[in-house]
Structure formats: C-alpha cells, structure tokens
Amino acid sequence: MTARAFIIAIESYDHLPTLTGLNADANQFYDWLVNTKKLRPDSIFGCADKKACPWATTGTTADEITIELARLWRKVLEWTDARDATEELFFYYSGHGFANTKSLAEKPVDHLVASDFKDS
C-alpha cells in the first residue's frame, strides 16, 4: 500500500487571533503517520511553524501552501511508485476557516485560512 499525507497546522496569524495547541496536535498526527501507518517522511508534506514542527517542509502563508500542494502533485506524477498507486491520501488541516455563499439558495463553500489572510 502506498500512502501520502499533507498536513497544515496554523497557530499564528497576521490579522486573526492566535490559536493554541495546533502544532502539538499536528506533531501527534505526524507521529501517527510515521509510527503507526508507516509512511516514509518523504511522502509527508507539511505546512507549519518549522520551529514547533521540525517535519514541516514549508511555512503557512497562502503562497507557501499553494506551492507545497503543487510540489505534492508533481512528486506524485514523478514517483514511479506513486503514479496511479496512491491508495491513501491523508489530509490534516488545523487553523481558522470559514464558509460563505453568494446567495441563501446556494450550498456554503468552506475555506481554509492561511496565516497571511487579510479579509474575505
């Protein structure tokens, strides 16, 4: 079985209240992926505070998250063991978010909020 993971943990924001405990929770999730699910560290992509989460591969701004998602996509296409073989993809997000609609008749769309978020 081939598995991949993408982790986003954002405690500190430029313009929103700070959240607590998210990095610790993300560290526990990372440990579970490596120790229980036996994922290779190079198959885990992480956007988090690198001081609090040493496994993080990048930071938590919108650009950093977008670039890291693109990097995951490229890796999946390039890895010979990954192409059409990723049976599980774990996605972990912990941070601020919101949902909005254009009208009351529409289903709300959920949005994750990057650390450099200013307004909707």
Side-chain angles (χ1 to χ4, degrees):
M1 174 188 72
T2 303
R4 315 276 175 236
F6 197 89
I7 301 171
I8 304 171
I10 309 170
E11 283 194 4
S12 299
Y13 288 83
D14 295 345
H15 304 287
L16 294 171
T18 296
L19 301 169
T20 57
L22 278 58
N23 290 329
D25 292 344
N27 283 327
Q28 285 184 328
F29 185 70
Y30 177 87
D31 290 343
W32 176 79
L33 289 170
V34 172
N35 298 322
T36 303
K37 296 301 287 182
K38 305 299 183 198
L39 268 71
R40 294 187 330 249
D42 68 346
S43 68
I44 302 170
F45 298 77
C47 303
D49 178 345
K50 291 182 181 184
K51 291 179 185 171
C53 304
W55 46 264
T57 51
T58 193
T60 59
T61 67
D63 285 344
E64 290 170 320
I65 294 168
T66 301
I67 290 167
E68 197 65 1
L69 280 168
R71 194 172 80 83
L72 167 64
W73 179 250
R74 281 192 310 274
K75 285 290 186 182
V76 167
L77 292 177
E78 291 169 5
W79 287 338
T80 55
D81 70 326
R83 192 175 302 127
D84 298 325
T86 300
E87 296 175 19
E88 291 181 301
L89 175 64
F90 296 93
F91 181 83
Y92 178 94
Y93 174 76
S94 190
H96 284 294
F98 65 94
N100 71 348
T101 60
K102 292 181 183 177
S103 73
L104 294 174
E106 292 181 7
K107 185 177 178 180
V109 176
D110 293 326
H111 302 272
L112 62 86
V113 175
S115 62
D116 58 346
F117 176 81
K118 291 183 182 142
D119 63 49
S120 58

